[in-house]
Amino acid sequence: MTDELEHLLSLASKNIRPSPIREMLHMVRQPGMISFAGGMPDPEIFPVEQFQEAASVISREGKDILQYGTTEGYPPLKEFIAEWTIPRMGRKLTPEEILITTGSSQIIDLLCWALVDRGDYVICEEPTFLGATGTMFNHGARFLTVTCDENGMLVDSLPGIIEKAIAEGGKIKFIYTIVNFHNPLGCDLSLERRIKLLEIAKKYGILILEDDPYGYVRFEGEEIPSVFSLDREGLVLYACSFSKILAPGTRVGWCAGRENIIRKMAIFKQGTDTCTSVVVQAMVWEYCRLGYLESFLPKIINHYRDKRDQMEKAFLAYLPVDKVSWLKPKGGFFYWMTTPGVMAGKLFEKAIEKKIAFVTGNAFYPTGSGGEHNFRMCYTFASPEMTDIGIKRLGEAILESE
């Protein structure tokens, strides 16, 4: 039966693109399912007692934080971020350069409201984070994509892509890049390429959205300067959040960038949610003020390094190494797997039968073409015991899917 209200739906509603990961949650929640699909932190490492202590800010500041707050964010939290991020940002941010958001996903939504008209182009890596490109698509963006290798985006190909689009009358609004421990690839954008990316953005007058949700979760290797810290022209909007370094349930993210862009995003945020929960912002600030962010972050890093190593050990023990390959990440949450002789869709079906789940590679290709022999594995959520069992089953599924 046709829905009687179908004719009322907007054009945007009719064309909206759901998240493939969210859509598959009903399968992941089956009894006995071992999930390597969603990029979820391990609840066993959540700092519950410390965050509970931080809730004491309510008794001290309740009359203020239970009121509406400023759209731009809770001032003490913004001041903490400005100080704490000096090493990564290269300088202290001003309050006008910071916007607190309801998770980092809102940053992408607000930036699209501020910059993107239907039909405009966004340049991104391919593959890339499907949550980001899904939001961009729902704003009417079209995609120009750049392939990657172990050092990130192949930025040398950008001028040709940009000039072709401009010659055809296209408008390119920003370049989206995940610079550290790329989702899903796990690689870093090299310093040389970060510098070149900035040069290209300056030449063509294009903004860069530097998405860095995993940058503070580095297991080994030297820190690479952020693109923001290298920028002297105000071309970079930097995005981060507390989801991976505290807990995703806080839904507190932040971005830093040129004042006029931040202001435009804040105005759109006024009409979206008025402000991010002031109570939660204050609790996050109190947690940070008490020194828990600094003291607890090494524990998070060590915990996830161990989980990565446990998955790597299981790969070597149970996977047919002549039929599957991967890049060992130096941080972050994910492995990107390649199976040249096996279709990922067929492997997924076999894996679900064996009660294991991952995300097939095609979901990460915004143009809809690619990833047929790839899939993403998250190592942070499952327990060591479940990881070992799950990878053993995965090895069996690969052999049965040829």
Side-chain angles (χ1 to χ4, degrees):
M1 180 181 295
T2 303
D3 190 328
E4 294 179 358
L5 299 181
E6 184 77 17
H7 68 285
L8 299 178
L9 293 178
S10 67
L11 182 62
S13 178
K14 292 176 181 178
N15 293 326
I16 196 168
R17 179 183 291 177
S19 165
I21 295 178
R22 297 296 174 185
E23 292 293 300
M24 68 181 285
L25 281 181
H26 67 282
M27 287 188 288
V28 173
R29 288 172 176 161
Q30 291 178 20
M33 185 69 68
I34 299 173
S35 177
F36 303 114
M40 294 189 292
D42 184 355
E44 295 300 319
I45 198 65
F46 289 162
V48 176
E49 293 180 3
Q50 291 82 358
F51 201 63
Q52 185 177 21
E53 183 180 346
S56 64
V57 72
I58 299 173
S59 61
R60 191 175 73 246
E61 307 287 345
K63 290 185 179 180
D64 291 325
I65 64 177
L66 291 173
Q67 186 55 275
Y68 289 112
T70 60
T71 302
E72 290 79 4
Y74 184 56
L77 180 58
K78 292 177 69 176
E79 175 60 22
F80 171 82
I81 289 171
E83 288 283 352
W84 186 64
T85 60
I86 287 174
R88 183 147 300 197
M89 301 285 89
R91 60 177 175 82
K92 184 176 178 179
L93 301 167
T94 67
E96 294 76 21
E97 292 177 303
I98 302 173
L99 177 65
I100 306 293
T101 59
T102 305
S104 61
S105 58
Q106 189 180 54
I107 297 168
I108 298 168
D109 183 50
L110 295 174
L111 183 64
C112 286
W113 278 117
L115 297 186
V116 176
D117 292 314
R118 189 163 294 277
D120 286 346
Y121 282 114
V122 172
I123 298 176
C124 62
E125 294 128 343
E126 192 169 51
T128 192
F129 174 47
L130 55 92
T133 52
T135 299
M136 297 169 195
F137 176 85
N138 292 336
H139 275 276
R142 295 184 291 169
F143 300 103
L144 299 170
T145 58
V146 186
T147 56
C148 301
D149 61 16
E150 65 275 10
N151 292 308
M153 179 192 293
L154 296 171
V155 296
D156 284 339
S157 63
L158 279 172
I161 293 171
I162 292 170
E163 290 177 10
K164 183 176 185 294
I166 292 174
E168 294 173 352
K171 294 182 179 180
I172 303 169
K173 294 302 179 71
F174 62 91
I175 300 168
Y176 174 67
T177 178
I178 307 170
V179 292
N180 296 311
F181 321 123
H182 188 277
N183 178 5
L185 296 174
C187 59
D188 292 332
L189 184 63
S190 69
L191 177 58
E192 179 185 358
R193 292 185 186 180
R194 294 180 192 213
I195 294 170
K196 189 169 291 187
L197 175 62
L198 265 175
E199 292 172 352
I200 294 168
K202 179 181 178 180
K203 177 179 179 180
Y204 294 100
I206 301 172
L207 185 137
I208 298 169
L209 173 54
E210 180 180 16
D211 196 3
D212 192 23
Y214 309 102
Y216 288 99
V217 190
R218 176 174 287 278
F219 308 145
E220 62 239 2
E222 294 293 323
E223 294 283 351
I224 306 172
S226 68
V227 183
F228 185 97
S229 70
L230 302 169
D231 179 24
R232 300 293 179 267
E233 310 294 333
L235 293 170
V236 179
L237 184 80
Y238 176 89
C240 197
S241 84
F242 288 95
S243 291
K244 309 304 186 293
I245 57 177
L246 200 170
T250 62
R251 305 309 304 132
V252 175
W254 77 86
C255 62
R258 187 190 287 256
E259 290 182 20
N260 64 331
I261 298 294
I262 293 293
R263 177 59 182 159
K264 292 293 185 182
M265 293 171 66
I267 293 171
F268 280 109
K269 184 172 168 60
Q270 289 172 2
T272 301
D273 61 4
T274 305
C275 64
T276 297
S277 168
V278 187
V279 174
V280 177
Q281 289 186 72
M283 290 171 65
V284 170
W285 168 72
E286 181 73 356
Y287 175 88
C288 296
R289 187 188 70 82
L290 293 170
Y292 290 135
L293 182 64
E294 281 291 295
S295 65
F296 211 78
L297 188 54
K299 298 178 182 178
I300 293 173
I301 292 169
N302 290 334
H303 184 74
Y304 289 146
R305 182 191 294 113
D306 288 344
K307 301 200 85 169
R308 178 206 60 179
D309 292 346
Q310 289 159 0
M311 181 169 278
E312 180 86 10
K313 183 179 178 181
F315 284 166
L316 295 172
Y318 300 122
L319 298 189
V321 294
D322 59 327
K323 303 182 189 304
V324 59
S325 62
W326 60 87
L327 172 71
K328 185 176 182 179
K330 295 180 180 178
F333 277 37
F334 305 110
Y335 275 96
W336 181 245
M337 314 296 287
T338 301
T339 53
V342 177
M343 298 294 287
K346 182 179 179 181
L347 177 59
F348 178 79
E349 294 174 1
K350 183 63 66 175
I352 290 296
E353 291 176 7
K354 294 179 178 293
K355 298 290 186 179
I356 51 173
F358 51 75
V359 185
T360 55
N362 62 298
F364 300 96
Y365 282 74
T367 59
S369 177
E372 292 85 359
H373 296 282
N374 301 101
F375 58 98
R376 191 192 74 178
M377 298 279 285
C378 175
Y379 51 78
T380 56
F381 181 71
S383 69
E385 296 77 17
M386 291 299 99
T387 294
D388 199 66
I389 294 169
I391 301 306
K392 185 176 182 179
R393 293 179 186 174
L394 176 62
E396 296 168 354
I398 291 173
L399 292 174
E400 295 172 17
S401 299
E402 293 183 279

